[in-house]
Amino acid sequence: MRDMPSVRTVRDLYVTSFLDLLSVDNRIQNAGEEEKFAVLLEGIYERHAGVLVQMARGAFELRAAIRSGAVSPPGGGAAAEAAKAEAAPEGGGTTAVEFDQLESTHAFLDRFYISRIGIRVLIGQYLALRQPPVENYVGIICSRTSPYEIVKRAVDDASFMCTRKYGDAPEVIITGRLDMTFPYVPTHLHYIMLELLKNSMRATVDWHGVDADYPPIKVVIADGKENEDVVIKVSDEGGGIPRSNMSRIWSYLFTTADPAIQEGMIAFNENVDHSIDSPLAGLGYGLPISRSYARYFGGDLSIMSMEGYGTDAFVYLTRLGNSREPLPI
């Protein structure tokens, strides 16, 4: 994967940013020097804004290279030949390549994305603290984050994307603790909820067909004084996920999106981590990245599915202040 053009571009970004940081005196003596340091950090933050999509493009390029035979899957020998054979078109169609289960690649991507989240949290917090105070905020952390308000915004965004593609979108019913608030980073929670709702809407429309009477997607927000976590459940009746695909949904290299959409994403110029301008389904990193966001602050994301009926997604969120950063080793 390291030889893919998009991944090499990301590597060069990190080298450039590392050299920029080395150029800074390790002891800032006055406000002027601090101002220059902040400008440098802001440049790095903006420079790396598109890394998420860039790395996903690298995964697409790796898929295409293995299918074309330009690259052999790791392992060589019979395993590589089997993967190539599985990737080859048969009867006019294509089948999935088993490299979406490569453990070493996924371990690297897990470490990479967790590290990236940590770096952006640190820089984002530093830059936000330099701005005029905002009520209920300490940097990028909101002391009164409302899951209900975040979910409502994510519903609006996902509905817009679904309607743009299909002409309609399923209704979303939100129940549970609509009044609760807790300390969290709202942008992280919005990213997670948008990904889950996009998936549920797409599955529901595809399963029931365009212009059907869609069953509603249900979101439940659960919390109590004795609860360890704030938990959000997203339930749909979108036909579920085959059991054979359950392990693959956490793969950065697996996607059910149409290859034409994936190829279109290669030319997609996105300079932010996530956007309503992107397709409803694209390069396949939404779920694993969402789980990384949840796990960064001590939470988690799990999926339970009933093939032929629907899927339940559970987001576990730990209140900030009592968890350690999961630094990769």
Side-chain angles (χ1 to χ4, degrees):
M1 188 170 183
R2 65 187 177 187
D3 296 324
M4 298 300 105
S6 293
V7 178
R8 289 202 302 267
T9 299
V10 171
R11 179 200 61 195
D12 293 343
L13 284 178
Y14 275 84
V15 170
T16 299
S17 297
F18 181 65
L19 293 176
D20 285 348
L21 288 172
L22 287 180
S23 68
V24 178
D25 193 325
N26 59 4
R27 296 193 61 167
I28 295 176
Q29 304 288 344
N30 53 57
E33 291 180 358
E34 191 276 334
E35 176 71 27
K36 290 181 181 178
F37 180 65
V39 170
L40 174 66
L41 286 183
E42 188 171 3
I44 291 173
Y45 193 86
E46 293 176 355
R47 180 187 302 154
H48 290 253
V51 163
L52 200 66
V53 172
Q54 198 76 5
M55 287 295 290
R57 287 176 181 150
F60 174 87
E61 292 164 358
L62 179 59
R63 274 194 291 269
I66 290 180
R67 288 193 177 101
S68 68
V71 172
S72 294
E81 292 304 318
K84 284 183 182 178
E86 188 174 335
E90 183 177 339
T94 58
T95 56
V97 181
E98 286 301 319
F99 69 84
D100 58 25
Q101 296 181 9
L102 294 179
E103 292 184 5
S104 60
T105 303
H106 288 108
F108 160 72
L109 289 172
D110 274 332
R111 294 193 303 271
F112 174 82
Y113 285 123
I114 283 289
S115 295
R116 179 178 184 273
I117 290 171
I119 291 170
R120 291 186 73 76
V121 165
L122 288 173
I123 296 179
Q125 181 72 354
Y126 177 83
L127 294 176
L129 288 172
R130 301 182 77 257
Q131 302 303 313
V134 178
E135 186 178 5
N136 297 324
Y137 272 83
V138 179
I140 62 174
I141 300 169
C142 178
S143 61
R144 296 181 59 83
T145 300
S146 167
Y148 174 60
E149 294 297 330
I150 300 293
V151 171
K152 279 205 307 182
R153 287 201 293 272
V155 168
D156 290 341
D157 291 341
S159 296
F160 170 80
M161 298 170 75
C162 188
T163 302
R164 180 182 61 194
K165 178 172 176 59
Y166 295 108
D168 198 3
E171 178 190 7
V172 179
I173 299 174
I174 309 172
T175 59
R177 284 292 309 278
L178 307 186
D179 60 333
M180 70 149 305
T181 61
F182 74 115
Y184 208 73
V185 180
T187 53
H188 287 193
L189 181 53
H190 180 270
Y191 180 92
I192 296 169
M193 297 311 304
L194 179 58
E195 285 299 325
L196 295 178
L197 289 164
K198 282 195 314 184
N199 290 346
S200 288
M201 289 186 181
R202 175 188 170 219
T204 300
V205 176
D206 285 348
W207 180 254
H208 293 275
V210 178
D211 297 328
D213 187 12
Y214 306 124
I217 295 166
K218 299 175 182 177
V219 178
V220 181
I221 301 169
D223 179 55
K225 292 181 179 178
E226 305 301 323
N227 288 20
E228 180 179 334
D229 298 315
V230 175
V231 185
I232 303 175
K233 181 175 77 168
V234 180
S235 301
D236 67 59
E237 297 177 31
I241 303 167
R243 189 162 59 90
S244 59
N245 278 348
M246 284 303 293
S247 62
R248 294 180 175 184
I249 64 174
W250 304 114
S251 169
Y252 297 99
L253 308 175
F254 175 72
T255 178
T256 57
D258 187 281
I261 294 177
Q262 299 174 42
E263 192 165 358
M265 283 289 286
I266 291 297
F268 186 67
N269 182 21
E270 186 172 22
N271 291 320
V272 293
D273 283 351
H274 47 91
S275 168
I276 60 173
D277 294 327
S278 61
L280 195 63
L283 292 170
Y285 58 82
L287 274 180
I289 290 295
S290 295
R291 185 169 67 170
S292 293
Y293 271 117
R295 287 181 170 179
Y296 182 77
F297 286 121
D300 208 348
L301 171 61
S302 65
I303 303 288
M304 296 185 68
S305 190
M306 181 184 294
E307 187 178 7
Y309 182 77
T311 301
D312 290 353
F314 297 86
V315 183
Y316 302 92
L317 305 169
T318 301
R319 295 167 178 79
L320 298 193
N322 58 353
S323 60
R324 293 185 177 182
E325 182 182 35
L327 293 173
I329 299 176

